[in-house]
Amino acid sequence: NAGVTQTPKFQVLKTGQSMTLQCAQDMNHEYMSWYRQDPGMGLRLIHYSVGAGITDQGEVPNGYNVSRSTTEDFPLRLLSAAPSQTSVYFCASSWDRTTYEQYFGPGTRLTVT
Amino acid sequence: TQLLEQSPQFLSIQEGENLTVYCNSSSVFSSLQWYRQEPGEGPVLLVTVVTGGEVKKLKRLTFQFGDARKDSSLHITAAQPGDTGLYLCAGERTYKYIFGTGTRLKVLA
């Protein structure tokens, strides 16, 4: 099993550009989520999904879109990048809420200039 | 809104010392998790506590969930340089995980 994979590992965008951060898991997990990590702020939940076709907003959803067409993939889209979105982004997955065990990907470091 | 406060934010100790990290909230959580994160990597789960008052041990690490399920502590006995890292607590409530700000621990040999 590869676990949770994220691409790209690093990305630099100009303000106003759009891009998609990819996240995939091969553990047949139902629950997937996206976080951003900023210095001194811990991890903040952006969006999450409890299964294919179901998504919901987390703590900081503005400026980000998600979709969950398959169990394996949970891409995060930045529609019009802003410098405030400079951060490290982590994707995570777990079987479901009752197992409480989240597995994290290695992260994508995004810089918006 | 940051619902989980961790203390201390930074801790530098000598090898062999004991330490306790606290994770406090005014909200009740269904469960609380502790993670450790190394530079350039994602957090790795250490333990999950679910029941109020629950105590779990993982070698030299002892985790406790408060009776009211609002707070938790992580105690490390005889810290070693390999314990160095960022420790994060996270509370779960209705599918949403709220993370604390983290405690950066450095254990000096």
Side-chain angles (χ1 to χ4, degrees):
Chain A
N1 285 350
V4 180
T5 58
Q6 290 183 239
T7 56
K9 193 161 180 65
F10 301 95
Q11 182 70 50
V12 179
L13 289 178
K14 293 183 189 288
T15 298
Q17 287 185 319
S18 63
M19 80 158 295
T20 299
L21 307 185
Q22 301 292 342
C23 174
Q25 51 90 11
D26 61 358
M27 299 174 282
N28 203 31
H29 285 175
E30 291 293 328
Y31 182 92
M32 296 185 74
S33 54
W34 276 102
Y35 296 87
R36 59 178 290 175
Q37 186 173 31
D38 302 293
M41 297 292 291
L43 281 87
R44 292 181 291 170
L45 182 64
I46 303 172
H47 286 284
Y48 66 97
S49 168
V50 299
I54 306 170
T55 64
D56 205 346
Q57 296 181 351
E59 188 182 358
V60 287
N62 292 340
Y64 307 95
N65 275 0
V66 292
S67 60
R68 184 95 180 271
S69 56
T70 67
T71 299
E72 294 77 20
D73 301 299
F74 190 42
L76 177 72
R77 280 181 288 276
L78 282 70
L79 305 175
S80 178
S84 61
Q85 293 178 305
T86 293
S87 187
V88 181
Y89 291 85
F90 288 100
C91 177
S93 74
S94 67
W95 284 106
D96 57 34
R97 173 174 171 265
T98 61
T99 55
Y100 307 114
E101 294 180 0
Q102 287 198 102
Y103 297 86
F104 280 81
T108 294
R109 184 174 295 274
L110 175 68
T111 302
V112 183
T113 61
Chain B
T1 302
Q2 187 58 256
L3 297 179
L4 271 174
E5 297 291 336
Q6 277 186 247
S7 61
Q9 289 188 15
F10 301 95
L11 193 54
S12 180
I13 60 173
Q14 292 294 128
E15 182 177 4
E17 292 184 3
N18 301 333
L19 67 115
T20 301
V21 177
Y22 298 94
C23 177
N24 295 303
S25 173
S26 58
S27 302
V28 175
F29 293 104
S30 300
S31 68
L32 195 135
Q33 303 177 335
W34 285 92
Y35 294 82
R36 190 169 87 185
Q37 186 178 20
E38 304 289 346
E41 299 180 6
V44 176
L45 181 69
L46 295 173
V47 76
T48 300
V49 284
V50 179
T51 306
E54 182 177 3
V55 177
K56 280 192 175 180
K57 292 192 176 183
L58 185 66
K59 296 183 181 178
R60 294 176 293 100
L61 279 60
T62 302
F63 305 85
Q64 184 163 7
F65 202 11
D67 290 341
R69 290 187 291 134
K70 294 182 179 180
D71 53 81
S72 181
S73 64
L74 157 61
H75 182 79
I76 301 179
T77 303
Q80 298 177 0
D83 296 327
T84 293
L86 178 66
Y87 289 81
L88 297 161
C89 64
E92 183 271 331
R93 189 170 58 238
T94 56
Y95 296 103
K96 295 185 180 182
Y97 290 85
I98 303 296
F99 276 78
T101 50
T103 294
R104 194 165 296 278
L105 171 66
K106 186 169 186 178
V107 182
L108 305 170

